[in-house]
Amino acid sequence: MKNKFFKFSSVHVLIIGDLILDTFYYGRANRISPEAPVPIVNIEYIKYVPGGAANVAMNIASLGVRCHIGGITGQDHAANTLQQQLNEVGIRCAIHQTLNNDTIVKQRVIGNQQQLLRMDFEQRFDNNEWEALKSLIEPIISNTSIIILSDYNKGTLSNPQHWINLAKQHNVPVLVDPKGPDFMKYNGADLITPNMTEFEAIVGEIKSEVDLLTKAQNLIELLNVKALLITRSEHGMSLITKDRPKFHLPAIAKEVFDVTGAGDTVISTIAAALASGRSLQQAVTMANVAASISVSKLGMATVREHELQAEYQLYQSGNHTNHDFTNIVTLKELRIETKYAKQRGEKIVFTNGCFDILHAGHVSYLQQARALGDRLIVAINTDESVAKLKGVGRPINTTERRLAVLAALGAVDWVIPFKGDTPEYLLRKIKPDILVKGGDYDKENVIGWDIVEGYGGQVIVMGMISNCSTTMIIDKITGKYK
């Protein structure tokens, strides 16, 4: 069981909750306004990020889970942008667009990597507005593995009891990320996940671990729920159920960059794990690992399935710190990452190869390739492709191991495997500014050169260190070369 990891692609999660579009204006602040004592920020690029319940959906999709999201927006540009962002990663939307409100938008101005201002544009939805969601969501529930109610107290979940009762009729578990002073509205849910501040707002100040357990069990009884998961920031998280002792997980030691959205990561991971057959304790353990990955990233970053799998296995083995798998990406993720990089004016460099046994020639080549631009993508052949190109006995290292080694190099920003003999489909989707290949042949012999030059990109052939190749290393080890 220790090394077995459930795939999440077979499950289906439904998220219902408040949809928010987070907008970030990035720029430089080099002077003070003559009109008022405030910095002038020269905006360089704008980034749109799904927020609120939509961020929960982004976390679900990042884990490879099929998901639907239900919520309310206005009929405006923000709504179109939000739905486009969700659709780009395969999230299916059941959204009621009201004429009575604008889409909830939170705008942040970032100058010199520091948040200077946040502006919120929001008006709570009327208590009866949510009823328009019934016809959109109810047909989905029978094919749903688990439901998340993501409440940001904006009015979408004015009547969570409707969804809880409907879920019970279909034997679908319900997880709730709560908000506000009234938890009775979540009566009958399977799991509620308040943070410590939210929990104390309901039950009063917690004076000890015994006090926490007593008040949690009393709340479970009052709300008729199966379990509470209390997230406790740097103190980890505590799972309390009716019939089992408190299950506490200390926070995993990692360098914390940003705790934004960590709660969304927790409930998303629990939902995916439970839906794929894990026990509640296993799901919470997995969520604790996912949270440690999330807080080590900047912004509302999601956790990918391969990151979680790698860190979870390391956690089980007791060796779970100082590892980074965040730049191993899927095509969907790479398209989003490169889109924002291009908006920032960054030059994208692309190269590909087998990279079976990484050696000095590879490292030098990748450093030179990275120096040609601002970001470097390395695409690697899958094991089947390497065997076809190199023959019996190759590759020496599997795709996963080759990805991990390349991801650890400072020169590499993103690494991705590609199926088939050539990465041409990646070039068409990503459209890098520069295609680089190492060797002593003409540009026209570089696979994909016509694609890149066709959209105005550049193709560069660089030399490699002589007498340094994977084949020579293998021959020396086996005695064929001395």
Side-chain angles (χ1 to χ4, degrees), residues 209 219 264 269 327 340 373 408 415 427 435:
E209 291 299 310
L219 188 60
D264 294 341
T269 307
N327 54 351
Y340 288 128
V415 58
L427 295 174
L435 170 61

Side-chain angles (χ1 to χ4, degrees), residues 17-162:
D18 297 301
L19 305 180
I20 299 170
L21 180 65
D22 287 305
T23 307
F24 297 83
Y25 295 86
Y26 290 91
R28 295 196 172 276
N30 297 321
R31 58 196 179 101
I32 301 298
S33 171
E35 303 167 357
V38 295
I40 296 174
V41 182
N42 183 25
I43 301 300
E44 297 173 341
Y45 67 97
I46 303 171
K47 184 175 183 179
Y48 300 101
V49 179
N55 185 51
V56 178
M58 294 293 284
N59 275 271
I60 288 287
S62 185
L63 290 171
V65 177
R66 295 181 298 118
C67 70
H68 262 89
I69 185 164
I72 308 172
T73 67
Q75 296 185 17
D76 48 29
H77 176 70
N80 295 335
T81 301
L82 180 58
Q83 186 153 340
Q84 179 186 357
Q85 295 277 316
L86 294 168
N87 290 339
E88 280 185 355
V89 295
I91 297 168
R92 301 182 68 180
C93 298
I95 296 175
H96 165 55
Q97 293 190 329
T98 179
L99 289 170
N100 300 322
N101 298 66
D102 292 331
T103 302
I104 297 173
V105 175
K106 298 181 184 296
Q107 296 183 342
R108 298 167 178 85
V109 179
I110 315 294
N112 302 343
Q113 305 302 314
Q114 180 178 348
Q115 183 171 319
L116 302 177
L117 177 67
R118 175 175 138 177
M119 299 179 292
D120 289 2
F121 300 85
E122 67 175 69
Q123 179 183 357
R124 183 180 169 85
F125 296 110
D126 292 340
N127 287 342
N128 61 352
E129 194 83 62
W130 70 272
E131 294 188 13
L133 289 172
K134 290 181 180 179
S135 61
L136 298 173
I137 292 177
E138 289 179 1
I140 301 170
I141 291 181
S142 60
N143 294 318
T144 297
S145 307
I146 201 163
I147 294 174
I148 297 174
L149 300 183
S150 180
D151 196 351
Y152 281 77
N153 203 27
K154 310 299 183 188
T156 305
L157 290 171
S158 294
N159 187 0
Q161 278 301 301
H162 173 80

Side-chain angles (χ1 to χ4, degrees), residues 260-462:
T260 306
D264 294 341
T265 299
V266 167
I267 198 166
S268 301
T269 307
I270 291 172
L274 289 175
S276 63
R278 296 280 180 168
S279 69
L280 183 55
Q281 287 195 354
Q282 288 174 322
V284 170
T285 303
M286 210 172 286
N288 193 39
V289 173
S292 76
I293 301 171
S294 176
V295 299
S296 68
K297 302 180 181 183
L298 287 173
M300 290 191 295
T302 58
V303 177
R304 305 179 185 113
E305 184 180 10
H306 66 262
E307 293 178 86
L308 179 57
Q309 177 169 352
E311 286 284 357
Y312 184 65
Q313 290 174 342
L314 288 169
Y315 178 81
Q316 288 182 308
S317 68
N319 181 23
H320 54 269
T321 59
N322 301 320
H323 294 272
D324 188 4
F325 302 94
T326 59
N327 54 351
I328 303 173
V329 293
T330 65
L331 178 55
K332 284 182 180 178
E333 293 163 347
L334 185 58
R335 291 182 70 179
I336 293 170
E337 295 279 3
T338 54
K339 180 180 75 172
Y340 288 128
K342 289 176 181 179
Q343 288 178 0
R344 295 191 295 266
E346 296 173 352
K347 186 177 291 185
I348 308 296
V349 183
F350 180 102
T351 192
N352 64 280
C354 298
F355 297 98
D356 191 2
I357 297 179
L358 199 68
H359 52 69
H362 289 141
V363 174
S364 175
Y365 167 72
L366 293 173
Q367 289 173 337
Q368 292 178 59
R370 177 63 165 76
L372 295 172
D374 302 295
R375 298 282 188 170
L376 175 62
I377 301 167
V378 179
I380 70 167
N381 299 72
T382 59
D383 294 345
E384 295 79 10
S385 178
V386 175
K388 185 176 179 181
L389 290 169
K390 302 295 185 179
V392 178
R394 300 287 297 275
I396 301 298
N397 290 299
T398 63
T399 301
E400 290 74 20
R401 291 177 179 177
R402 289 181 286 128
L403 288 169
V405 171
L406 287 165
L409 295 180
V412 177
D413 293 282
W414 302 296
V415 58
I416 182 171
F418 65 89
K419 296 179 180 179
D421 297 333
T422 74
E424 290 178 314
Y425 73 96
L426 290 179
L427 295 174
R428 291 190 177 94
K429 295 290 187 181
I430 303 302
K431 291 185 171 60
D433 299 286
I434 301 173
L435 170 61
V436 179
K437 194 67 178 173
D440 56 355
Y441 39 80
D442 296 333
K443 176 187 70 177
E444 286 75 13
N445 291 326
V446 176
I447 293 173
W449 74 270
D450 51 337
I451 297 171
V452 175
E453 292 197 345
Y455 59 72
Q458 185 180 5
V459 179
I460 297 176
V461 178
M462 295 193 310

